[in-house]
Amino acid sequence: MKKTPVIAFAGLLLVAACNRVPEHVIQPEPMARLMADVRVADAVVSVNSRKYTTEQSKLALKKAVFERHGVTEEQFDTSLIWYGHNIARYQEVTDRSIEILELRQRELSARAAGEAAMSVSGDSVDIWTAPQYAVITRRSPSEYLAFSYDTDPNWERGDIYTFRARLLTTAASASWNLTAEYSDGAVSTLTTDLSTSNPAKQEISLYTDSTRTAVRVSGWLRVAPDGHRPAIVDSVSVVRRRNDAVPTGHRRYLQRLINPAKNRQNVDTVATR
């Protein structure tokens, strides 16, 4: 009976030893911050593929990240190997790196809220007031970024709404929608997929009916993360333009006009990109 506390204490020491990160391995918090910056660097390379065309240029960017954290690539690789053999610790570090990215997102949200007090008049204006940057993970409460705006005196018949965004990382799937509701109960709507492997900015445009008065414009962007990797969305905006400010050369998509009064749907071809 007297040996029990000794055995229990030895067991605690053994558990502590198993959970202890060796000195030659980058410790969990610095490792999480480093992994977050490495992910951002990978995203930068994806977005600027024309600039980072060689392996040398890509490695130079990563080297700059390592130097900023005061480690070498060899130390990073060695640490990854150790964490790879200690899955529980690796999961903790991965979760923490995601928290760091999400914290940066919240900081950007606060900054965006401060900049959201802008005029909505004029021929072309970004009416998006939410953060322009989002990190979506399997732990996120939703895979959707959504908005809904009621019209005001600055909005006119025939206005065009362009939804823009960029996927900085690959995703399992991605789609988005734009919808305009009119005072007579009719609805114009457009839903299509985003390319999940294209790092360039993508967009869709909804052309409101020039014979009707829009009372609300809404939309959503859904991004499903690819496994455990976070999906990073950037450069989100919703731009309202006048009908006479439409650039030429846009591709053609189909948007639906749903007219409850006549109980039918019309499919119109509209210019969008």
Side-chain angles (χ1 to χ4, degrees), residues 39-60:
R39 287 178 177 176
V40 171
D42 288 339
V44 169
V45 170
S46 297
V47 172
N48 299 278
S49 55
R50 292 183 179 180
K51 179 179 178 181
Y52 297 95
T53 56
T54 65
E55 287 300 318
Q56 258 188 335
S57 59
K58 297 174 185 177
L59 291 174

Side-chain angles (χ1 to χ4, degrees), residues 97-113:
S97 70
I98 293 172
E99 287 177 2
I100 291 169
L101 290 172
E102 290 175 340
L103 176 60
R104 293 176 184 175
Q105 175 187 340
R106 288 193 293 272
E107 290 173 348
L108 287 172
S109 300
R111 190 180 308 166

Side-chain angles (χ1 to χ4, degrees), residues 114-121 124-129:
E115 297 172 353
M118 58 178 292
S119 171
V120 292
S121 62
S124 181
V125 64
D126 185 0
I127 61 174
W128 178 264
T129 57

Side-chain angles (χ1 to χ4, degrees), residues 65-216:
V65 172
F66 294 141
E67 288 178 351
R68 177 185 173 190
H69 286 262
V71 301
T72 65
E73 186 174 1
E74 290 74 17
Q75 287 176 298
F76 179 67
D77 292 339
T78 299
S79 299
L80 276 181
I81 292 172
W82 186 88
Y83 282 107
H85 286 90
N86 296 268
I87 301 302
R89 279 291 197 177
Y90 178 78
Q91 190 61 54
E92 290 174 6
V93 171
T94 300
D95 290 346
R96 175 57 183 149
S97 70
I98 293 172
E99 287 177 2
I100 291 169
L101 290 172
E102 290 175 340
L103 176 60
R104 293 176 184 175
Q105 175 187 340
R106 288 193 293 272
E107 290 173 348
L108 287 172
S109 300
R111 190 180 308 166
E115 297 172 353
M118 58 178 292
S119 171
V120 292
S121 62
D123 291 339
S124 181
V125 64
D126 185 0
I127 61 174
W128 178 264
T129 57
Q132 294 183 314
Y133 177 91
V135 179
I136 302 173
T137 71
R138 295 177 65 180
R139 297 186 308 156
S140 297
S142 175
E143 296 178 344
Y144 287 84
L145 300 178
F147 68 90
S148 180
Y149 301 126
D150 292 334
T151 59
D152 61 38
N154 292 308
W155 299 35
E156 298 180 0
R157 291 185 176 187
D159 279 348
I160 304 156
Y161 298 89
T162 300
F163 199 176
R164 297 189 177 106
R166 173 185 290 145
L167 295 180
L168 296 184
T169 57
T170 58
S173 62
S175 56
W176 49 3
N177 165 273
L178 277 173
T179 297
E181 302 172 38
Y182 302 104
S183 56
D184 63 356
V187 173
S188 291
T189 185
L190 169 64
T191 302
T192 186
D193 294 332
L194 287 85
S195 170
T196 57
S197 58
N198 181 7
K201 188 180 293 185
Q202 302 179 58
E203 67 178 46
I204 56 171
S205 294
L206 180 79
Y207 287 61
T208 60
D209 193 327
S210 60
T211 66
R212 291 179 164 89
T213 302
V215 295
R216 181 176 297 105

